[in-house]
């Protein structure tokens, strides 16, 4: 009897890829609790670098700007992206119009971010002739983040719409429900997992965005990625490692929360079915 041997190359490549991705992150986390201010020598375990984060006014201001930017831009992008996804899927557009929308929907996703940021600089420079509100600062950053977040939210919501059971919507209309009632009571509740996932993705992208923030930020709207970039030029310190570790943990929490919410909605749908 001959036994088939599993190829060793495939699991080896998989483990090597995971190690390449996560060992640097583990190294940053370990340096954040190292008692040594400089160098790679281990001098004992300490939490003092994390405690100093909460005593640094510049870091606290950067955290506030980052959360404000992420929450506001995510809220706007979620509403606009959801409406865009529903409009593209439910309105009877012509083939040419649908192709035009598809092209513009994918453009922010596939366009290099540096090109996108340069285009925003030109756009805001033109808008400053109309109003001084478009000076570099938080408003420009929010608009800049929304422009690329909308596409990601719309794509996630559209994937949810593709699995949507149209018979439920048709049944709602057969029972003389208005379009607005069907939207509020049927479509949006069914789309909630996709909307939540799209919002989580948009918020995560906003938290770690650097290029668009760099091109649109003002002197009083420094975010955490911009602060870390400025500090790295002076030398990498354990506080930077601690700050990066906190950002990593926040991202992990958001991903886990998104999966939990999506799974809970899927289980509820299976139970209802």
């Amino acid at each position: 009897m001959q036994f088939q041997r599993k190829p060793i190359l495939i699991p080896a490549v998989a483990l090597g890829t995971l190690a390449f991705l996560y060992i640097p992150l583990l190294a940053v986390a370990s340096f954040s609790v190292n008692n040594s201010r400089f160098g790679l020598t281990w001098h004992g375990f300490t939490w003092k670098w994390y405690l100093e984060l909460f005593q640094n006014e510049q870091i606290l201001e950067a955290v506030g700007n980052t959360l404000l930017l992420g929450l506001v831009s995510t809220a706007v992008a979620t509403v606009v992206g959801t409406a865009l996804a529903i409009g593209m899927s439910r309105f009877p557009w012509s083939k040419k119009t649908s192709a035009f929308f598809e092209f513009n929907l994918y453009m922010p996703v596939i366009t290099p971010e540096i090109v996108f940021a340069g285009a925003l600089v030109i756009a805001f420079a033109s808008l400053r002739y109309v109003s001084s509100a478009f000076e570099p600062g938080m408003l420009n950053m929010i608009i800049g983040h929304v422009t690329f977040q909308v596409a990601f939210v719309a794509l996630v919501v559209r994937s949810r719409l593709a699995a949507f059971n149209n018979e439920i919507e048709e049944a709602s209309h057969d029972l003389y429900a208005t379009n607005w009632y069907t939207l509020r009571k049927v479509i949006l509740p069914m789309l909630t997992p996709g909307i939540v996932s799209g919002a989580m993705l948009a918020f995560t992208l906003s938290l770690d965005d650097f290029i668009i923030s760099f091109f649109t930020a003002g002197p009083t709207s420094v975010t955490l990625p911009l602060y870390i970039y400025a500090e790295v030029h002076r030398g990498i310190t354990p506080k930077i490692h601690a700050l990066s570790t906190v950002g990593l943990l926040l991202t992990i929490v958001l991903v886990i929360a998104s999966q939990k919410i999506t799974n809970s909605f899927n289980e509820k749908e299976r139970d209802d079915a």
Side-chain angles (χ1 to χ4, degrees), residues 37 46 51 74 89-90 99 109 111 143 156 159 197 202 211-212 246 258 266:
R37 181 177 292 274
T46 181
L51 296 177
T74 298
S89 301
R90 289 294 181 265
V109 178
T111 301
I143 296 174
V156 174
S159 65
S197 299
I211 297 179
I212 291 179
V246 171
S258 176
N266 291 336

Side-chain angles (χ1 to χ4, degrees), residues 2 12 22 25 62 69 73 75 121 128 149 169 172 194 206 219 244 269:
Q2 295 182 352
Y22 291 106
L25 299 178
L69 173 62
S73 62
V121 171
R128 279 196 290 273
Q149 288 175 311
E169 186 178 351
S172 175
S206 176
S244 301
E269 288 181 357

Side-chain angles (χ1 to χ4, degrees), residues 45 47 87-88 152 185 212 249:
F45 184 91
W47 290 108
M88 291 179 63
F152 287 95
K185 298 297 184 178
I212 291 179
L249 292 176

Side-chain angles (χ1 to χ4, degrees), residues 174-210:
D174 290 340
L175 295 172
Y176 303 102
T178 62
N179 291 332
W180 175 241
Y181 185 89
T182 303
L183 176 65
R184 289 187 297 111
K185 298 297 184 178
V186 178
I187 297 178
L188 289 181
M190 295 289 290
L191 291 180
T192 299
I195 295 173
V196 172
S197 299
M200 291 287 190
L201 176 61
F203 185 68
T204 304
L205 292 172
S206 176
L207 285 182
D208 59 14
D209 178 79
F210 171 76

Side-chain angles (χ1 to χ4, degrees), residues 22-97:
Y22 291 106
I23 286 180
L25 299 178
L26 295 175
V28 170
S30 63
F31 291 150
S32 68
V33 292
N34 186 6
N35 200 24
S36 174
R37 181 177 292 274
F38 301 104
L40 303 179
T41 305
W42 181 259
H43 284 211
F45 184 91
T46 181
W47 290 108
K48 67 179 182 180
W49 309 120
Y50 288 91
L51 296 177
E52 290 186 7
L53 293 180
F54 298 98
Q55 300 172 356
N56 191 311
E57 294 183 359
Q58 291 181 334
I59 292 179
L60 294 178
E61 182 181 358
V63 170
N65 290 334
T66 303
L67 293 177
L68 175 63
L69 173 62
L71 291 174
V72 175
S73 62
T74 298
V76 176
T78 301
V79 174
V80 177
T82 302
L84 176 61
I86 296 174
M88 291 179 63
S89 301
R90 289 294 181 265
F91 194 84
W93 305 102
S94 64
K95 290 184 178 181
K96 290 185 178 180
T97 305

Side-chain angles (χ1 to χ4, degrees), residues 219-257:
T220 61
S221 57
V222 176
T223 60
L224 281 177
L226 299 180
Y227 175 83
I228 294 174
Y229 175 77
E231 287 295 314
V232 165
H233 282 76
R234 306 173 188 174
I236 301 178
T237 63
K239 283 195 299 184
I240 298 301
H241 294 311
L243 188 58
S244 301
T245 304
V246 171
L248 174 63
L249 292 176
L250 178 60
T251 303
I252 293 174
V253 169
L254 290 175
V255 172
I256 294 175

